[in-house]
Amino acid sequence: MKAKLVLLVLAVAAALALTGAALGGGQSYMDSSGEVPGSADVTGTSVTDDGSTITFQVQTNLGDWAPNTFFAVLVNSDQNDATGTAGFDYIVTGDHFGGTVVSTGTRVVVQTPSSLSNGLWTVSLPASVIGNPSAFSFFVLTQAGPDPAHPYEDRAPDSGTWAYPAAPAPTPTPTPVPPPAPAVSSVVAAYGAMPVHGKAFRVYGLNLTLSDGTKATASHLVCRATLAGSQFLGGGLTGCAFKLPKSAKGKRLSVTVSGSYLSASLTKSYAFRVR
């Protein structure tokens, strides 16, 4: 029933055209193509305005005006489906005679500039003619073909209407940024008893205190030592162990322990007098 009313309004608008012949910004709308072979196929529509004049541009596959070619934009200017004809308050039309704006409620007709070039139909109208709406919805209908009684029709969008201005895209929820990893506040080497000649001196690791108060240990532990200024080798699967000879008594033992925590490189050095 709604489709019949819309077509009836289009017929009225066409007849009136033959006898007689504040928004901001702009937006574009895409439509599918090839739905009705032989039609004036709408592939895209744009709406722009300069605060006083609204312009519709409808891109089709036509080259120029052909017999029985008819364009229309049906506008629901008050966003109320109970007013106008089938909810549409105005019809903006165009054919080879020119363009018109038809009020479906009063049947008042206002002539308006209309042109077709390389398939692009352009029609402009004062915003005041359709009541200076703050927003409106609309769809585009074209008719073409050799038989004026049974034209090929294309509708854009294929169903429903487009909104102008379009509803803004939802603001994306920002991805939470994780807090930075706590930094290392202090480093202390963990070792056994003080070095004693003839016994092993063991380093178990590097104990860390982080900026948030938590404790951690360094990884990739490496130990280096000198005994009385000479390099002294040590080893072990966990930590480091240095077997001190009996002759080490009273000598100076220097130990450097290195490791890492996340991207931080850590080093701690100690000097002992071997007992």
Side-chain angles (χ1 to χ4, degrees):
M1 182 64 181
K2 184 174 181 178
K4 292 182 178 179
L5 288 173
V6 172
L7 291 176
L8 175 61
V9 173
L10 285 174
V12 171
L16 290 171
L18 288 172
T19 58
L23 299 172
Q27 290 185 295
S28 297
Y29 310 82
M30 300 302 295
D31 185 53
S32 56
S33 61
E35 304 98 316
V36 181
S39 67
D41 191 9
V42 179
T43 56
T45 299
S46 67
V47 183
T48 58
D49 70 273
D50 60 7
S52 61
T53 301
I54 299 173
T55 298
F56 294 93
Q57 288 191 304
V58 179
Q59 184 65 58
T60 71
N61 61 345
L62 295 180
D64 202 345
W65 293 114
N68 307 319
T69 303
F70 179 75
F71 289 85
V73 180
L74 283 78
V75 179
N76 183 346
S77 62
D78 59 7
Q79 305 291 285
N80 184 352
D81 291 341
T83 61
T85 299
F88 295 95
D89 308 289
Y90 297 93
I91 304 175
V92 184
T93 73
D95 60 13
H96 66 285
F97 288 103
T100 63
V101 182
V102 180
S103 167
T104 62
T106 64
R107 293 297 190 267
V108 172
V109 180
V110 177
Q111 293 185 336
T112 193
S114 168
S115 65
L116 180 66
S117 177
N118 295 321
L120 182 66
W121 175 52
T122 302
V123 61
S124 299
L125 60 142
S128 58
V129 170
I130 61 173
N132 292 305
S134 59
F136 58 84
S137 57
F138 71 100
F139 75 87
V140 177
L141 187 68
T142 66
Q143 294 181 337
D147 185 354
H150 301 90
Y152 299 114
E153 295 182 344
D154 187 33
R155 186 190 196 282
D158 296 333
S159 62
T161 58
W162 283 316
Y164 184 82
T171 302
T173 303
T175 302
V177 178
V184 176
S185 296
S186 64
V187 182
V188 177
Y191 51 86
M194 297 297 288
V196 177
H197 68 285
K199 295 185 179 181
F201 176 71
R202 299 183 183 278
V203 179
Y204 299 106
L206 287 176
N207 293 336
L208 316 177
T209 300
L210 306 182
S211 56
D212 61 357
T214 59
K215 306 295 183 179
T217 58
S219 59
H220 305 99
L221 203 67
V222 175
C223 302
R224 295 179 176 85
T226 58
L227 181 63
S230 298
Q231 186 174 4
F232 189 73
L233 300 178
L237 295 177
T238 58
C240 306
F242 298 94
K243 178 63 176 178
L244 301 176
K246 292 182 179 181
S247 60
K249 185 176 180 178
K251 294 181 179 179
R252 179 184 175 89
L253 175 67
S254 299
V255 179
T256 299
V257 186
S258 301
S260 62
Y261 177 76
L262 300 179
S263 61
S265 297
L266 309 168
T267 300
K268 199 70 175 177
S269 296
Y270 296 89
F272 306 93
R273 186 66 63 181
V274 180
R275 296 178 180 177

